[in-house]
Amino acid sequence: MKIVTTLIALLTLVVGTNIFLRVQDQDRLETALILLDERISSNTTTIEKVEDYIVDAGIDFEHMQYIMMDNIRDVATALEKHKHEPVYVEVPVVPEVDSVEIQTEPEPVAAETLERTYDPETQIHIPSLPVPVVVCPRANNNLGKFIDDVSLRRDYKFLVTYDILDNKLDNVRFDKKIPSKLKAAMIKYINSFKFNGDVKDCKISIKVLEN
């Protein structure tokens, strides 16, 4: 009897573990699909703006060409009707001045001093170059306008972790399971930040209330 009970407990534990892992994999896949959809929408919007700009630029160019040709015709007509009187201009005589060569000494340029680190293996002092520091982007938009259309039946508090790769949002992770619409709104919100270089494991804590 004890063996049967133990086997049933082990079987229940294995089934529960498999269900938990499947839910986690499904959640990660859902997040990746939402992020891909956001990137496709962003690229489509950019292409449409470029097409509109090209059409507007073509119309403006044709309009400017028409105005220029009209102005040229008006000037030509006015010149044909107008008779010019001879105009005499007295040019003053300017005495010649011997050229004087002025020599100026270049200002000394202060040389930048770099820190050097001694390498015992090569026995050479190697200059230490400054390494640029990239920090996580800061929020510059109001979260409210991104979740206005998201219906929330309860309060949510969660942590979002993400990476910036090639100046694009990548590998977004949520520490808790949240509705897919709220997840999509959060990805759009983070995408509105100003990215300043590649960085990993940026975190942002979010708390939204029931509406």
Side-chain angles (χ1 to χ4, degrees):
M1 187 65 181
K2 290 183 179 180
I3 295 175
V4 174
T5 305
T6 304
L7 289 175
I8 293 174
L10 288 174
L11 182 60
T12 304
L13 179 61
V14 171
V15 171
T17 303
N18 288 335
I19 293 174
F20 176 75
L21 292 175
R22 287 184 181 179
V23 169
Q24 277 195 330
D25 291 340
Q26 182 180 0
D27 189 57
R28 291 176 183 172
L29 179 60
E30 185 182 55
T31 303
L33 290 174
I34 292 173
L35 181 59
L36 178 61
D37 181 66
E38 174 66 16
R39 288 185 179 176
I40 293 173
S41 301
S42 177
N43 290 336
T44 304
T45 304
T46 304
I47 293 173
E48 291 176 354
K49 288 182 179 179
V50 171
E51 291 177 350
D52 293 341
Y53 175 78
I54 292 173
V55 173
D56 293 340
I59 294 173
D60 291 342
F61 178 75
E62 293 177 358
H63 183 63
M64 290 175 63
Q65 187 179 16
Y66 173 78
I67 293 174
M68 288 177 61
M69 293 301 298
D70 191 42
N71 289 339
I72 290 171
R73 283 194 294 267
D74 291 343
V75 172
T77 303
L79 288 175
E80 288 178 0
K81 294 180 179 180
H82 183 66
K83 293 181 179 180
H84 292 280
E85 295 290 338
V87 178
Y88 301 96
V89 179
E90 183 178 354
V91 180
V93 178
V94 180
E96 294 184 1
V97 180
D98 295 336
S99 60
V100 179
E101 185 177 352
I102 301 175
Q103 296 181 351
T104 58
E105 295 183 0
E107 295 182 1
V109 179
E112 294 185 2
T113 304
L114 295 178
E115 274 186 41
R116 294 178 178 271
T117 305
Y118 179 73
D119 188 353
E121 293 184 3
T122 60
Q123 296 183 354
I124 297 175
H125 287 82
I126 303 172
S128 302
L129 300 177
V131 178
V133 179
V134 180
V135 296
C136 292
R138 293 184 178 180
N140 53 2
N141 277 316
N142 185 5
L143 176 61
K145 66 180 183 180
F146 292 90
I147 61 173
D148 281 342
D149 298 329
V150 180
S151 178
L152 301 175
R153 297 183 179 179
R154 64 181 180 86
D155 298 349
Y156 288 92
K157 184 178 180 181
F158 52 92
L159 183 70
V160 186
T161 306
Y162 61 92
D163 303 334
I164 304 298
L165 180 63
D166 295 333
N167 259 357
K168 292 182 180 179
L169 183 63
D170 189 66
N171 194 20
V172 182
R173 290 97 70 195
F174 297 84
D175 68 332
K176 295 178 182 177
K177 187 173 179 60
I178 60 174
S180 58
K181 288 185 177 180
L182 180 58
K183 188 180 296 184
M186 289 308 309
I187 291 175
K188 288 183 179 179
Y189 174 61
I190 299 173
N191 254 328
S192 70
F193 297 174
K194 184 178 180 182
F195 303 148
N196 297 314
D198 294 352
V199 63
K200 289 187 176 181
D201 295 328
C202 292
K203 300 181 186 296
I204 179 171
S205 179
I206 301 294
K207 181 177 181 181
V208 291
L209 304 179
E210 177 186 2
N211 56 11

